[in-house]
């Protein structure tokens, strides 16, 4: 019996091979279970660059007047942002901008090569042909005129077509108008705040106050979209239909040229004439904008909130021409019909800057809740001061902006309340950056452009 149980080593391995194989397999599975369940283990999404099964990238060039910038974003299959290295985007910039090469379009295009190479370097080689690249030029190229700007844009198109490994379409290189900027800004803020993919009533409206123009954008119902007035040839439509995160949106968006903060100063000074009720007392000077010079001298009695507001309302042309639609903002512009998509307003750019400089929001926090009435209160305080007292009271205001602090705050209040008919007591959100996960992301148009292009069917 004892001899019968004995055998060669190969015979024993063959007889007990199931046990031999099962033990190490069990140990490996146990180790994997412990590792994947361990507290603090890194999720797939948090790993730099990600290794999710389905990733997509987008490259957006912001060709501004002061410089060119490139943004690279990476999304997972749910259109959530993934890290690129330690950040939620790759961002690089160079100076000067494309408009500095007005007489040499090829040199303008070539100036983007270092940014292009940096963008391509962070995108896996196998995904580059699937990665869209867009170039959006803004104020700098607009100022060059149609012929010069188109020559530069064509040189950029040829650069991307022949020297880039990215997905490219000719119409992805363009001069952005204010309507496009407003739409992309709306996409950016609603995306970062987790509202895309929900009903239009759950989205937020956006007012973006730049230097040359101001944009209003908010989602409306399909029924209101059908009521949009027809526009003349060459004019931007009031409503854009967007497909984002699996949902269709009808976006009312309008850009008011000449009513950005810096441009509005010129419009108000046209109304006031030789002396202005909006200039800090004791200041006598001039204001330059758009290649023109305007007198900017204070009234002998100093600034006046009520008289300055009258001038601001006249500059906005509230009530003229007469409203030809159901309801208008200013200049006879259709207001989109109102509705749920406008009830929660996010207000960006110069609104945030002036509020922080005037001291009624914390400049160290990227988001603040305020009411339009707080701009009124701040304006009344600023308008009472002489230029010397303004300098002492508002150390955060740049020297060149001090004479116009009263005017800027009055205009911002008038724009919201008289222009856009926002209730003075309505709580609005001033935003510079939007929280996203454990990070903050700039509330700027390039992310909105990226989301649109990767969302396209």
């Amino acid at each position: 019996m004892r001899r019968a149980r004995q055998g060669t080593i190969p015979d024993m391995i063959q007889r007990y091979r199931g046990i031999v194989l099962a033990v190490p397999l069990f140990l490996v599975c146990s180790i994997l279970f412990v590792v994947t369940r361990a507290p603090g283990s890194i999720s797939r999404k948090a790993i730099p660059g990600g290794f999710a099964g389905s990733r997509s990238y987008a490259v957006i060039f912001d060709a501004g007047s002061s410089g060119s910038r490139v943004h690279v974003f990476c999304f997972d299959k749910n259109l959530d942002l993934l890290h690129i290295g330690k950040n939620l985007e790759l961002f690089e910039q160079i100076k000067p901008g494309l408009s500095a090469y007005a007489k040499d379009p090829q040199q303008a295009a070539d100036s983007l090569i270092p940014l292009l190479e940096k963008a391509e370097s962070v995108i896996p080689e196998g995904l580059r042909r699937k990665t869209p690249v867009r170039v959006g030029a803004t104020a700098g190229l607009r100022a060059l005129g149609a012929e010069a700007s188109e020559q530069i844009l064509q040189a950029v198109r040829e650069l991307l077509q022949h020297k880039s490994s990215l997905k490219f379409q000719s119409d992805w290189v363009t001069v952005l108008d204010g309507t496009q900027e407003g739409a992309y800004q709306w996409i950016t803020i609603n995306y970062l705040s987790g509202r895309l993919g929900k009903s239009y009533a759950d989205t937020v409206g956006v007012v973006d106050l730049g230097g040359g123009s101001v944009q209003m954008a908010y989602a409306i119902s399909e029924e209101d979209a059908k009521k949009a007035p027809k526009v003349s040839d060459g004019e931007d439509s009031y409503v854009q239909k967007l497909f984002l995160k699996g949902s269709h949106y009808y976006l009312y968006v309008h850009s008011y040229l000449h009513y950005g903060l810096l441009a509005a100063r010129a419009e108000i000074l046209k109304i006031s004439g030789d002396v202005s009720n909006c200039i800090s007392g004791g200041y006598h000077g001039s204001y330059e904008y758009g290649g023109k010079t305007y007198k900017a001298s204070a009234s002998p009695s100093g600034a006046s909130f009520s008289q300055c507001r009258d001038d601001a309302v006249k500059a906005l042309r509230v009530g003229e021409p007469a409203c030809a639609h159901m309801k208008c903002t200013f200049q006879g512009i259709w207001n989109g019909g109102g509705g749920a998509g406008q009830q929660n307003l996010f207000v960006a750019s110069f609104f945030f800057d002036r509020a922080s400089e005037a001291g009624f929001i914390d400049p160290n926090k990227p988001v603040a809740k305020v009411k339009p009435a707080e701009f009124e209160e701040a304006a009344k305080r600023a308008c009472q001061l002489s230029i010397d007292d303004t300098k002492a009271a508002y150390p955060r205001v740049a020297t060149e902006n001090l004479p116009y602090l009263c005017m800027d705050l009055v205009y911002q209040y008038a724009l919201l309340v008289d222009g856009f008919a926002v209730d003075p007591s309505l709580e609005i959100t001033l935003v510079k950056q939007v929280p996203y996960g454990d990070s903050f992301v700039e509330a700027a148009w390039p992310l909105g452009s990226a989301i649109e292009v990767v969302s396209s069917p």
Side-chain angles (χ1 to χ4, degrees), residues 254-294:
H254 190 79
S255 179
Y256 300 80
L257 192 60
H258 308 306
Y259 289 96
L261 189 69
L262 305 183
R265 289 178 183 173
E267 298 300 318
I268 293 172
L269 290 173
K270 289 177 187 177
I271 298 294
S272 58
D274 291 344
V275 296
S276 174
N277 297 307
C278 299
I279 299 293
S280 296
Y283 180 82
H284 299 282
S286 60
Y287 178 68
E288 294 185 5
Y289 183 81
K292 296 182 180 180
T293 302
Y294 304 88

Side-chain angles (χ1 to χ4, degrees), residues 60-63 135-138 176 180-182 184-185 188 442-450:
I60 309 295
F61 283 89
D62 175 4
V135 179
T138 53
L176 292 183
Q180 289 172 301
E181 283 192 62
Y184 290 147
Q185 183 86 334
T188 294
E442 200 75 19
W445 71 263
L447 176 56
S449 179

Side-chain angles (χ1 to χ4, degrees), residues 94-116:
I94 57 169
K95 294 183 178 182
L98 296 180
S99 56
Y101 307 99
K103 297 181 179 179
D104 193 341
Q106 188 58 53
Q107 189 177 1
D110 290 345
S111 72
L112 300 181
I113 291 177
L115 298 181
L116 178 63

